[in-house]
């Protein structure tokens, strides 16, 4: 028997960790939107210091030449960008600690459901790899492919965390009403998850192009960025309509077959809010001169949509009596 108090602690800690990972994604989006990714040109230190400087006078007089020799030409100290990136690293390190604690807390399932423990440990290992990948991103001078891999791995980490926490609550989730689920609904839910992943992949391609455009404009004159958007942006924009109506149908089916206040109904409402928010953020990027605040919000919503869909899928798997 699993100690109920220990199981509750694991659930709360794991849930906190999931929110922390999403917060890291949000902060990472802010770093990228503000062009602060190279605010610290080295890793794990920042300008060779564990606590970065606040003034250029604290750096060697020839620091431009030093970093040019390391492959980072045109390195210029900017305290706002430096501390934005450094804060991102601190939040990432704190989240890593939470993931370590979650893996430690999962040991209570070694005698019950070892899969939960293995999932938590896998997440811990992936976070270690993510840390290495973060250093590789800096070393690559923010190559677009490396940034995309960094983001997609974060998405995978969130999915495994959600699965681990949901699996630890399998007896409760099995009590949900999932008997109404038809093969058509189950198939369309899987398709919707796949479409979200495709949309995220296209979004990363758009972001890579935007990063290049932003660098050309020195991260100013945002109202002119749209003139240089690639074709993939318009495909990405149009595909959002397909995603919206597909998920609205799924949400309608859930609401029509579940009782008021049920977990599945709340998740259906949340999914609709997330998708509408993501679309509105995307519209603002397209029509309102690419506001900086909309970029990280759009990214966060995309990740939350995937998480919500994935959690609904797991819930319905357990509710129908099938292992997830």
């Amino acid at each position: 028997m699993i100690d109920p108090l220990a199981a509750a602690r694991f659930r709360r800690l794991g849930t906190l960790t999931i929110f922390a990972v999403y917060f890291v994604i949000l902060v990472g989006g802010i770093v990228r939107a503000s062009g602060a990714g190279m605010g610290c040109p080295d890793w794990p230190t920042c300008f060779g210091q564990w606590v970065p400087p606040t003034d250029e006078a604290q750096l060697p007089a020839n620091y431009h030449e030093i970093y040019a020799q390391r492959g980072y030409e045109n390195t210029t100290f900017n305290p706002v960008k430096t501390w934005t990136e450094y804060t991102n690293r601190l939040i990432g390190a704190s989240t890593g600690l939470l993931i370590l604690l979650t893996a430690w807390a999962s040991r209570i399932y070694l005698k019950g459901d070892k899969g939960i423990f293995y999932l938590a440990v896998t997440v811990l290992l992936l976070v270690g790899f993510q840390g290495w990948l973060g250093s590789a991103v800096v070393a690559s001078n923010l190559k677009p492919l490396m940034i995309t891999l960094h983001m997609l791995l974060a998405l995978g980490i969130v999915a495994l965390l959600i699965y681990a926490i949901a699996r630890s609550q399998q007896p409760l989730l099995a009590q949900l009403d999932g008997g109404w689920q038809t093969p058509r609904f189950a198939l369309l839910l899987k398709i919707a998850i796949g479409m979200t992943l495709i949309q995220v992949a296209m979004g990363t391609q758009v972001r890579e192009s935007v990063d290049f455009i932003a660098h050309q404009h020195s991260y100013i004159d945002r109202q002119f960025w749209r003139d240089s958007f690639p074709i993939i942006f318009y495909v990405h924009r149009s595909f959002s309509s397909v995603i919206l109506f597909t998920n609205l149908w799924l949400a309608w089916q859930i609401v029509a077959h579940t009782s008021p206040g049920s977990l599945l109904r709340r998740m259906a409402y949340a999914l609709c809010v997330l998708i509408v928010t993501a679309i509105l953020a995307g519209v603002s990027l397209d029509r309102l001169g690419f506001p900086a605040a909309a970029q990280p919000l759009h990214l966060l919503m995309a990740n939350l949509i995937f998480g919500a869909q994935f959690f609904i899928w797991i819930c319905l798997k357990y509710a129908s009596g099938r292992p997830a």
Side-chain angles (χ1 to χ4, degrees):
M1 290 291 294
I2 303 297
D3 180 2
L5 292 177
R9 284 195 297 270
F10 172 74
R11 182 185 70 250
R12 288 194 295 267
L13 181 58
T15 303
L16 176 62
T17 302
I18 291 171
F19 282 112
V21 173
Y22 278 126
F23 187 55
V24 169
I25 293 172
L26 174 62
V27 175
I30 293 172
V31 168
R32 194 168 180 183
S34 63
M38 290 304 292
C40 293
D42 45 3
W43 193 95
T45 57
C46 184
F47 283 102
Q49 303 175 28
W50 290 106
V51 178
T54 57
D55 189 273
E56 191 172 23
Q58 298 173 273
L59 294 171
N62 64 336
Y63 80 92
H64 296 282
E65 292 77 10
I66 292 174
Y67 285 99
Q69 293 173 1
R70 298 178 183 178
Y72 307 120
E73 295 182 2
N74 303 318
T75 296
T76 301
F77 176 75
N78 181 310
V80 175
K81 291 185 177 182
T82 292
W83 278 88
T84 299
E85 167 59 14
Y86 183 68
T87 301
N88 177 44
R89 293 183 182 185
L90 290 179
I91 294 172
S94 300
T95 302
L97 179 60
L98 282 175
I99 290 174
L100 176 61
L101 293 174
T102 300
W104 174 252
S106 70
R107 73 190 188 283
I108 63 173
Y109 292 98
L110 279 172
K111 295 183 179 180
D113 187 349
K114 293 182 179 180
I116 297 173
F117 173 76
Y118 293 142
L119 282 167
V121 172
T122 299
V123 168
L124 180 62
L125 294 175
L126 285 176
V127 167
F129 179 73
Q130 180 81 321
W132 172 84
L133 190 58
S135 67
V137 167
V138 175
S140 70
N141 204 10
L142 303 183
K143 284 186 178 179
L145 178 60
M146 297 295 290
I147 295 174
T148 299
L149 289 175
H150 196 55
M151 191 277 292
L152 291 178
L153 183 56
L155 199 65
I157 289 171
V158 168
L160 289 178
L161 278 170
I162 292 174
Y163 181 28
I165 302 305
R167 184 163 172 166
S168 72
Q169 303 302 305
Q170 182 175 350
L172 292 176
L173 297 180
Q175 298 175 19
L176 296 173
D177 181 12
W180 55 269
Q181 184 182 194
T182 63
R184 178 187 179 188
F185 179 92
L187 176 61
L188 196 58
L189 178 56
K190 292 178 183 177
I191 292 174
I193 294 174
M195 289 195 305
T196 298
L197 291 174
I198 292 172
Q199 184 74 331
V200 169
M202 287 194 293
T204 60
Q205 297 300 311
V206 174
R207 286 180 64 201
E208 289 169 7
S209 299
V210 169
D211 285 346
F212 178 74
I213 296 168
H215 183 71
Q216 286 185 317
H217 287 266
S218 301
Y219 292 90
I220 58 175
D221 299 326
R222 288 175 173 268
Q223 67 272 22
F224 300 117
W225 294 7
R226 187 181 183 279
D227 298 337
S228 304
F229 281 178
I231 294 178
I232 190 68
F233 166 78
Y234 300 98
V235 177
H236 178 70
R237 184 182 64 180
S238 300
F239 195 51
S240 63
S241 298
V242 180
I243 290 178
L244 172 64
F245 290 114
T246 301
N247 283 277
L248 285 178
W249 185 86
L250 291 170
W252 173 67
Q253 288 293 308
I254 293 174
V255 171
H257 293 94
T258 57
S259 58
S262 69
L263 175 62
L264 284 172
R265 182 175 285 202
R266 294 199 304 270
M267 289 303 303
Y269 288 144
L271 179 60
C272 292
V273 171
L274 292 171
I275 291 175
V276 171
T277 304
I279 290 176
L280 290 176
V283 170
S284 71
L285 291 171
D286 183 23
R287 299 296 181 182
L288 300 180
F290 222 84
Q295 279 186 276
L297 178 63
H298 191 61
L299 171 65
L300 177 63
M301 291 301 106
N303 282 271
L304 286 171
I305 289 167
F306 171 77
Q309 291 173 327
F310 186 71
F311 183 63
I312 290 172
W313 176 74
I314 293 174
C315 287
L316 288 172
K317 280 284 189 179
Y318 287 139
S320 62
R322 299 192 301 271

